[in-house]
Amino acid sequence: MAAATKTALGTRDRLVRTASRLMQHGGYENTPVKQLVREAEATLGSLYHFFPGGKQELAVAAIHFGDEEFAGLLRAGLSSHADPAEAVEAVAALLARELEASDWRDGCPVTATALETVGRLPELQAACAQAFAHWQHLVAAKLLAAGHPEPEARDLAITVVNTLEGAEMTSQVTRSRTPLLVAGRHLARLVASYRD
């Protein structure tokens, strides 16, 4: 984040955005509070002022921020084409471009935290689950608007989000757009097949 942008944001927003970025890269456990407040140009006192529940409360807010950030990318891709099959492929291409532009660091904003909190930190796990459900809802809404029956749209939306999540992680590991682009092509075929 540019210095000018940081100073324009309030302390609470800086803490949330910094926590979101650090958790996206290293998860919850690998995000030390001292590093977080230093990079947010905040103090430990301000963290507890805005988040009396400490790091865990801040982490929930950061997951919600990451959810909305990722939802913005989904909306942009989904709205780029009227046809849902083409829109889903466009989402995959957009995610591939964004991931490459971040030097393969900025994948899904909640995956690292979701995986390490399963069964241990219910509030964080619930926030991650809510994010996945939100993204599925956005895809389902696109499919419903195109005339897909509701049960089919919901199932396809789950498949689209799950596939993109896995493809994005594979693209990060391999430092290649290919997994996302291939996933996008196949998801588009799957979505289109339901019109036949």
Side-chain angles (χ1 to χ4, degrees), residues 68-163:
E68 281 304 322
E69 205 172 39
F70 194 78
L73 286 174
L74 272 179
R75 286 187 193 99
L78 290 171
S79 66
S80 66
H81 296 279
D83 179 80
E86 292 174 10
V88 165
E89 190 168 4
V91 167
L94 176 59
L95 293 177
R97 283 194 305 275
E98 292 289 322
L99 187 56
E100 185 175 31
S102 75
D103 196 28
W104 311 104
R105 290 180 48 82
D106 296 343
C108 175
V110 302
T111 299
T113 300
L115 291 174
E116 71 179 1
T117 59
V118 172
R120 292 188 323 107
L121 298 169
E123 287 182 19
L124 296 184
Q125 186 178 340
C128 292
Q130 184 180 5
F132 289 123
H134 180 203
W135 304 335
Q136 291 164 5
H137 172 77
L138 293 175
V139 175
K142 178 72 174 183
L143 296 167
L144 287 167
H148 289 265
E150 186 165 347
E152 175 185 291
R154 302 279 173 222
D155 286 354
L156 275 172
I158 290 169
T159 302
V160 167
V161 171
N162 290 351
T163 303

Side-chain angles (χ1 to χ4, degrees), residues 40-63:
E41 297 176 5
T43 64
L44 201 54
S46 62
L47 187 153
Y48 287 101
H49 169 74
F50 290 109
F51 302 97
K55 181 182 174 183
Q56 190 166 330
E57 185 179 344
L58 171 57
V60 170
I63 290 166

